[in-house]
């Protein structure tokens, strides 16, 4: 019997090599949740199709992301890690759930409006149905908890409403309403010091970057703009380098920077050098493990296929109940 507290589901789009923002915002939490919960982590390649202009990199992006997850400490012997499209039951449930989803509810969602704004040339049917596919992802595995940051709460609420509509419409209790597992998602700013760290903005630092590349990216980080000369006192509170020190440096180092920056006792060059050194030390075991895994990509695909097979077993059991509840012929 499992001693875990419940089942967690989370999905992430295959964006290839992960960066510090992905790590601090999701991966670190994925790893920690495994200690207390039965976890199911899905690489949602079908969701990615809604906005991709080309699928040429899709398979490689799945592999790169899986490499980062596994190297970071996701344990596939206990956690199910898989690719969404390897469990076709999700598309079947998506279709069924779409029958209990009012069209206007989807077009009214702020996330849909935002996506239309970002991809005006490609407003496809899949984009509109994105939240329904998400609801299918979560409910197919009867996940009790979905770890999300505050801005993602409406997505889980949408799933809960969809479950209620389905269960009411077909007079059943087959689908389970998931609960939000509120997660602290730090806003990680990119090396430009302005915008959220993102691959598309090229302001990111990859987890798997070499020490030299990491140092180069840290050196390029924008600091307190008032600090023009080495002798100018700085303000660490508005400096992104200092924010990162708080995440990757020791409390003593953080305190030292906090004090010395304000009285120009430390220069930005040395401050960044220290941060780069700490980042490289922190990710050294991760990078070593990643290199070992990357040397045998077939092993990673095996992990994903094994995960999909375990996920399919849960998914099919749910679909047997769903089909019966709906009244589909056997
Ligand atoms: S010394 Fe460090 S914290 Fe202060 S402005 Fe320079 S980089 Fe930022």
């Amino acid at each position: 019997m499992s001693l875990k507290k419940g089942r967690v589901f989370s999905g992430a789009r295959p964006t290839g090599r992960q960066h510090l923002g992905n790590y601090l915002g999701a991966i670190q939490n994925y790893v920690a949740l495994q200690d207390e919960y039965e976890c199911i982590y899905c690489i949602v390649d079908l969701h990615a199709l809604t906005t991709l202009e080309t699928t040429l990199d899709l398979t490689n992006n799945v592999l790169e992301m899986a490499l980062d997850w596994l190297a970071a400490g996701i344990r596939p012997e206990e956690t199910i890690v898989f690719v969404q499209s390897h469990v076709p039951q999700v598309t079947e449930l998506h279709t069924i759930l779409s029958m209990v989803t009012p069209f206007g509810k989807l077009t009214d969602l702020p996330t849909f409006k935002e996506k239309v704004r970002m991809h005006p040339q490609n407003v496809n049917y899949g984009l509109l149905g994105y939240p329904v596919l998400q609801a299918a992802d979560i409910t197919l595995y009867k996940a009790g908890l979905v770890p999300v940051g505050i801005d993602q709460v409406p997505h889980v609420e949408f799933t809960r409403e969809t479950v209620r509509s389905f269960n009411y419409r077909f007079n059943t209790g087959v689908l389970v309403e998931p609960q939000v597992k509120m997660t602290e998602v730090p806003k990680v700013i990119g090396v430009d010091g302005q915008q959220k760290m993102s691959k598309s903005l090229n302001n990111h630092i990859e987890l798997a970057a070499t020490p030299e590349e990491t140092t180069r990216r840290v050196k390029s980080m924008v600091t307190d703009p008032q600090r023009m000369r080495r002798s100018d006192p700085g303000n660490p509170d508005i400096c992104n380098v200092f924010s990162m020190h708080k995440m990757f440096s020791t409390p003593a180092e953080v305190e030292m920077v906090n004090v010395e920056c304000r009285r120009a006792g430390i220069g930005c060059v040395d401050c960044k050098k220290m941060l780069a050194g700490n980042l490289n030390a922190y990710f050294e075991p991760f990078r070593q493990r990643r290199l070992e895994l990357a040397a045998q990509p077939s092993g990673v695909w095996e992990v994903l296929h094994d995960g999909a097979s375990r996920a399919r077993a849960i998914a099919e059991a749910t679909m047997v109940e769903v089909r019966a509840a709906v009244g589909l012929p056997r």
Side-chain angles (χ1 to χ4, degrees), residues 247-263:
M247 298 178 214
F248 294 101
S249 300
T250 64
E253 287 169 327
V254 172
E255 185 50 25
M256 186 276 282
V257 171
N258 192 22
V259 171
E260 296 301 330
C261 171
R262 291 177 204 275
R263 60 182 185 203

Side-chain angles (χ1 to χ4, degrees), residues 3-75:
L3 296 173
K4 301 273 171 102
K5 286 203 252 171
R7 183 177 287 166
V8 159
F9 177 92
S10 187
R13 289 163 71 119
T15 49
R17 285 177 169 229
Q18 302 291 281
H19 54 67
L20 283 182
N22 302 130
Y23 180 76
L24 296 164
I27 301 173
Q28 204 177 32
N29 189 39
Y30 279 8
V31 173
L33 284 169
Q34 298 176 114
D35 295 337
E36 291 183 67
Y37 298 93
E38 180 195 347
C39 296
I40 302 182
Y41 298 140
C42 180
I43 299 177
V44 292
D45 56 342
L46 294 173
H47 281 290
L49 293 182
T50 55
T51 52
L52 280 187
E53 279 164 23
T54 166
T55 54
L56 285 177
D57 295 331
L58 187 57
T59 299
N60 193 49
N61 283 347
V62 167
L63 176 66
E64 294 284 356
M65 191 155 153
L67 277 168
D68 281 336
W69 282 10
L70 297 174
I74 288 176
R75 304 186 287 271

Side-chain angles (χ1 to χ4, degrees), residues 57-108:
D57 295 331
L58 187 57
T59 299
N60 193 49
N61 283 347
V62 167
L63 176 66
E64 294 284 356
M65 191 155 153
L67 277 168
D68 281 336
W69 282 10
L70 297 174
I74 288 176
R75 304 186 287 271
E77 39 315 327
E78 57 190 276
T79 291
I80 296 180
V81 192
F82 72 106
V83 181
Q84 185 185 31
S85 64
H86 290 172
V87 182
Q89 285 87 346
V90 76
T91 56
E92 185 185 359
L93 185 55
H94 170 230
T95 302
I96 291 172
L97 292 183
S98 71
M99 310 305 170
V100 296
T101 306
F103 178 78
K105 199 164 151 184
L106 293 171
T107 49
D108 282 351

Side-chain angles (χ1 to χ4, degrees), residues 223-224 227 234-236 239 241-242 245 257 261 266-268 271-272:
T223 62
D224 174 1
R227 218 179 160 191
N235 178 4
C239 178
V241 176
F242 186 58
H245 269 300
V257 171
C261 171
I266 183 172
C268 294
C271 186
K272 289 176 175 179

